[in-house]
């Protein structure tokens, strides 16, 4: 009496109907009979239970609102104290054909410097610190992204700051000079790094899309660092930093609150460069040309020390794939995962990617290969699937043949097991990456910028699951009809000619034409 009927007693199982109460035939270990209590009625003295209900699906979908000036506001709900909010601009190195190359690189470095409201970068950082915030700007070939992660309660301050940084930068002479120094240092560092992957990526794009759109240089050429000034930047900004080319994206905040802040700080704002129209926006569609770019370079002293990296020659061979807006984008993503690859030393522990083709067919069979990795770059109007390989300069010819053979083998039989593994790995990678709030933010922003909507992870997983071996064969066959793009860096004495590489990719077995020499 006065307590739970089960208190301080050991329950003994017995037969009986639970629905109608704890029935006859069941008793406490002390011998007393269970009281007859119906479990369908509320128990006296026990608070009424509140049951969790499944949220409606709308809470997890990306919501998009278009303001009167054309600015899109997109948000994704995610529970937690912090939010990530930012502005993405449809602007990048691909739009610099009519301007000096390197403007996007300058804008990336100048981001979050002094503005109309904030006297210096330190002032901006102190303002963010009050909300536990951090900021970052990244420029790619087709997008510039200004982002802030901070406490969700500081959303008003964050959107105000982002609007000021994007539309009201001071671009003082001192800041521009500091940026010039930072860019010169970065370019020097780029050429001295032991890992040449960023340099090779630049070269393969320049070879594949010669002098147009995504083939334009992402980094500022040294000769342009002194030519870019405030007037040049304002001229570019007036053309590309317009509301219809922007998305304000947020993750971890209420959509209505974000729209309210956007109306307050981004509607009817006069940018510092004025409202006069700049030059016409470059709407060029990427033209794939194929070709080769070679840079002879002494790589023998790249990394000196107790365990120096051996001298290597780096080759990247690529072929045009497709835009991320096309249906074939998913089969290409699966194919890239199936090729996989990596370095000859795996820092991820046993089994990390070891069952991909570039490990099984290349790195495991040819011990002298230091690296074989597949990459897939995709844009709104084109794409590039490439394989990067590195080895001793004396084995360059053999290395190139191994890679061309792998391209030809892509169009052959696709095993059910390897395809399922690649699909599972791609889905796993997608879901793991989307656990991170900044990654969700970038995904929301980029998708809405390109398509005005967002495909949710479960939709993408369903599309990945539908990929069949015939899809892989179809996209590869189409890809192999294009001219290759080749980037080569290092000692290129034994590099086969571009014509020979092209012939190998047009052959049945991927072999290079035989060389017959009287004297070697």
């Amino acid at each position: 009496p006065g307590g739970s009927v089960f208190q301080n007693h050991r329950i003994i199982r017995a037969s009986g109907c639970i629905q109608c109460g704890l029935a006859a035939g069941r008793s406490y270990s002390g011998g007393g009979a269970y009281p007859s209590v119906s479990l369908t009625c509320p128990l006296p003295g026990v608070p009424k239970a509140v049951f969790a209900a499944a949220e409606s699906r709308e809470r997890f979908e990306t919501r998009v609102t278009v303001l009167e000036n054309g600015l899109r506001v997109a948000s994704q709900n995610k529970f937690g104290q912090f939010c990530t909010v930012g502005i993405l601009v449809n602007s990048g190195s691909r739009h610099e054909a009519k301007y000096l190359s390197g403007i996007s690189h300058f804008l990336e470095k100048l981001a979050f410097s002094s503005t109309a409201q904030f006297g210096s970068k330190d002032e901006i950082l102190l303002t963010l610190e009050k909300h536990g915030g951090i900021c970052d700007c990244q420029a790619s070939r087709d997008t510039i992204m200004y982002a802030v992660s901070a406490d969700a309660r500081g959303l008003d301050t964050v959107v105000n700051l982002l609007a000021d940084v994007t539309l009201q930068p001071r671009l003082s002479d001192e800041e521009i000079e500091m940026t010039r120094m930072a860019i010169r240092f970065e370019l020097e560092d780029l050429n001295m790094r032991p890992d040449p992957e960023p340099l090779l990526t630049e070269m393969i794009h320049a070879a594949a899309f010669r002098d147009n759109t995504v083939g334009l240089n992402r980094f500022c050429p040294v000769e342009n660092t002194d030519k870019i000034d405030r007037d040049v930047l304002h001229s570019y900004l007036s053309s590309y930093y317009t509301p219809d080319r922007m998305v304000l994206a947020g993750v971890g905040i209420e959509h209505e609150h974000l729209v309210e802040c956007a109306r307050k700080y981004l509607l009817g704002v006069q940018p510092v460069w004025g409202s006069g129209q700049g030059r016409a926006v470059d709407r060029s569609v990427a033209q794939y040309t194929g070709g080769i770019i070679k840079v002879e370079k002494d790589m023998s002293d790249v990394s000196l020390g107790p365990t120096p990296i051996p001298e290597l020659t780096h080759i990247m061979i690529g072929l045009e794939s497709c835009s991320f807006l096309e249906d074939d984008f998913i089969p290409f993503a699966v194919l890239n995962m199936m090729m996989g690859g990596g370095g000859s030393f795996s820092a991820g522990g046993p089994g990390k990617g070891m069952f991909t083709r570039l490990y099984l067919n290349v790195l495991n069979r040819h011990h002298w290969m230091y690296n074989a990795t597949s990459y897939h770059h995709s844009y709104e109007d084109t794409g590039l699937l490439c394989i990067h390989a590195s080895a001793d300069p004396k084995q360059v010819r053999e290395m190139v043949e191994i890679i061309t053979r792998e391209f030809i083998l892509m169009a052959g039989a696709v095993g059910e097991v390897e395809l399922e593994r690649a699909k599972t790995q791609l889905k796993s990678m997608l879901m793991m990456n989307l656990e991170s709030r900044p990654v969700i933010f970038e995904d929301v922003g980029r998708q809405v910028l390109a398509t005005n909507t967002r495909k949710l992870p479960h939709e993408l997983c369903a599309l990945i699951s539908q990929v069949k071996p015939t899809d892989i064969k179809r996209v590869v066959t189409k890809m192999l009809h294009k001219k290759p793009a080749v980037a080569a860096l290092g000692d290129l004495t034994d590099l086969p000619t571009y014509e020979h590489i092209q012939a190998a990719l047009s052959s049945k077995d991927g072999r290079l034409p035989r060389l017959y020499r009287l004297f070697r």
Side-chain angles (χ1 to χ4, degrees):
S4 165
V5 292
F6 302 120
Q7 202 170 358
N8 301 325
H9 291 289
R10 184 164 56 87
I11 298 171
I12 297 173
R13 284 185 150 189
S15 58
C17 174
I18 293 177
Q19 192 63 36
C20 303
L22 299 167
R26 304 214 288 175
S27 59
Y28 294 122
S29 54
Y34 271 172
S36 180
V37 181
S38 170
L39 295 184
T40 55
C41 306
L43 293 170
V46 175
K48 189 179 177 186
V50 179
F51 296 100
E55 294 282 3
S56 61
R57 273 209 33 208
E58 286 75 43
R59 284 189 73 86
F60 302 101
E61 287 178 0
T62 304
R63 295 178 63 189
V64 182
T65 300
V66 183
L67 301 189
E68 292 83 342
N69 61 357
L71 177 91
R72 285 156 285 179
V73 182
S75 75
Q76 178 79 28
N77 218 329
K78 189 180 192 305
F79 300 100
Q81 187 182 345
F82 281 78
C83 66
T84 299
V85 182
I87 291 175
L88 291 92
V89 190
N90 184 3
S91 151
S93 58
R94 70 169 294 161
H95 300 108
E96 292 172 2
K98 298 176 185 175
Y99 295 87
L100 285 169
S101 176
I103 290 176
S104 300
H105 196 183
F106 259 78
L107 291 172
E108 179 187 40
K109 296 280 176 250
L110 284 162
F112 295 100
S113 296
S114 64
T115 67
Q117 283 183 50
F118 301 92
S120 66
K121 190 166 198 154
D122 288 346
E123 214 174 300
I124 288 175
L125 296 177
L126 281 169
T127 305
L128 286 174
E129 259 180 40
K130 290 173 188 169
H131 301 283
I134 53 168
C135 61
D136 185 31
C137 177
Q138 289 178 11
S140 63
R141 293 178 192 282
D142 52 2
T143 313
I144 295 182
M145 182 171 70
Y146 300 83
V148 170
S149 285
D151 191 304
R153 289 170 295 186
L155 182 65
D156 198 275
T157 307
V158 166
V159 176
N160 178 25
L161 190 149
L162 283 165
D164 216 42
V165 162
T166 314
L167 300 173
Q168 309 284 338
R170 281 191 190 166
L171 307 177
S172 69
D173 292 341
E174 187 187 349
E175 286 167 349
I176 289 173
E177 193 51 51
M178 289 291 284
T179 300
R180 286 180 183 138
M181 288 165 64
I183 286 173
R184 285 190 200 110
F185 175 79
E186 192 176 336
L187 294 173
E188 266 181 56
D189 178 60
L190 198 67
N191 287 308
M192 289 163 62
R193 274 188 205 171
D195 174 27
E197 200 268 319
L199 206 57
L200 280 163
T201 302
E202 282 303 301
M203 290 165 65
I204 196 83
H205 277 82
F209 306 94
R210 197 170 287 273
D211 299 328
N212 77 87
T213 58
V214 293
L216 299 175
N217 204 334
R218 195 166 72 85
F219 299 105
C220 180
V222 181
E223 62 272 16
N224 284 358
T225 50
D226 289 324
K227 296 177 189 171
I228 294 174
D229 56 19
R230 190 191 297 110
D231 292 339
V232 172
L233 293 170
H234 277 183
S235 170
Y236 179 85
L237 290 165
S238 64
S239 294
Y240 289 95
Y241 275 46
T242 54
D244 57 305
R245 298 180 68 84
M246 293 182 183
V247 168
L248 173 67
V251 176
I253 29 82
E254 290 297 330
H255 186 71
E256 287 74 17
H257 192 186
L258 187 63
V259 172
E260 185 189 317
C261 292
R263 286 186 183 283
K264 189 173 172 184
Y265 298 113
L266 287 159
L267 199 58
V269 178
Q270 177 83 343
V272 73
W273 47 85
S275 55
Q277 279 293 63
R279 301 182 206 179
V281 168
D282 183 1
R283 301 190 191 278
S284 307
V285 175
Q287 302 296 316
Y288 181 82
T289 59
I292 184 166
I293 288 188
K294 300 187 283 188
V295 176
E296 284 269 3
K297 189 180 175 189
D298 179 12
M299 307 282 279
S300 58
D301 57 351
V302 181
S303 176
L304 301 172
T307 52
I309 293 174
E311 183 183 356
L312 299 172
T313 293
H314 300 269
I315 306 290
M316 205 179 252
I317 299 175
L319 290 161
E320 188 183 21
S321 59
C322 73
S323 138
F324 57 67
L325 300 174
E326 293 176 49
D327 293 339
D328 284 346
F329 173 65
I330 300 290
F332 269 116
V334 173
L335 171 65
N336 180 51
M337 198 53 83
M338 195 168 79
M339 296 310 293
S344 55
F345 170 73
S346 168
K352 176 177 168 274
M354 296 296 181
F355 291 99
T356 58
R357 281 195 183 184
L358 291 179
Y359 263 110
L360 294 175
N361 300 351
V362 179
L363 293 166
N364 291 0
R365 291 186 187 180
H366 308 283
H367 64 89
W368 45 268
M369 291 269 290
Y370 273 80
N371 182 32
T373 314
S374 174
Y375 295 97
H376 187 217
H377 305 279
S378 204
Y379 305 97
E380 63 181 350
D381 51 2
T382 188
L384 193 64
L385 183 87
C386 38
I387 294 176
H388 167 210
S390 51
D392 186 275
K394 294 183 184 68
Q395 285 162 309
V396 168
R397 186 177 175 83
E398 201 178 338
M399 170 172 70
V400 169
E401 188 169 85
I402 286 164
I403 298 308
T404 54
R405 234 177 22 234
E406 282 306 310
F407 270 110
I408 297 299
L409 287 170
M410 286 181 196
V414 177
E416 197 61 45
V417 173
E418 69 171 342
L419 182 64
E420 283 307 313
R421 184 185 283 120
K423 282 154 65 172
T424 305
Q425 206 173 340
L426 182 60
K427 285 187 276 191
S428 164
M429 195 179 81
L430 175 75
M431 300 311 283
M432 289 286 282
N433 285 339
L434 289 171
E435 286 288 308
S436 159
R437 192 183 58 251
V439 174
I440 301 172
F441 156 75
E442 190 173 342
D443 185 46
V444 169
R446 283 183 182 277
Q447 285 202 51
V448 172
L449 195 62
T451 65
N452 296 323
T453 182
R454 180 182 180 228
K455 273 195 176 115
L456 292 173
H458 67 85
E459 295 174 71
L460 292 169
C461 286
L463 291 171
I464 293 166
S465 298
Q466 288 165 19
V467 175
K468 298 179 178 67
T470 50
D471 296 322
I472 302 290
K473 191 165 185 173
R474 175 175 51 78
V475 298
V476 172
T477 306
K478 184 179 163 189
M479 178 176 74
L480 287 170
H481 283 121
K482 305 279 175 68
K483 283 173 67 178
V486 182
L489 178 69
D491 179 350
L492 308 178
T493 313
D494 291 338
L495 179 72
T497 62
Y498 177 75
E499 290 70 29
H500 280 189
I501 295 171
Q502 197 174 351
L505 287 166
S506 306
S507 68
K508 287 183 179 178
D509 56 4
R511 290 185 181 279
L512 291 164
R514 296 300 96 193
L515 284 180
Y516 298 103
R517 293 181 185 170
L518 199 55
F519 302 104
R520 185 153 178 92

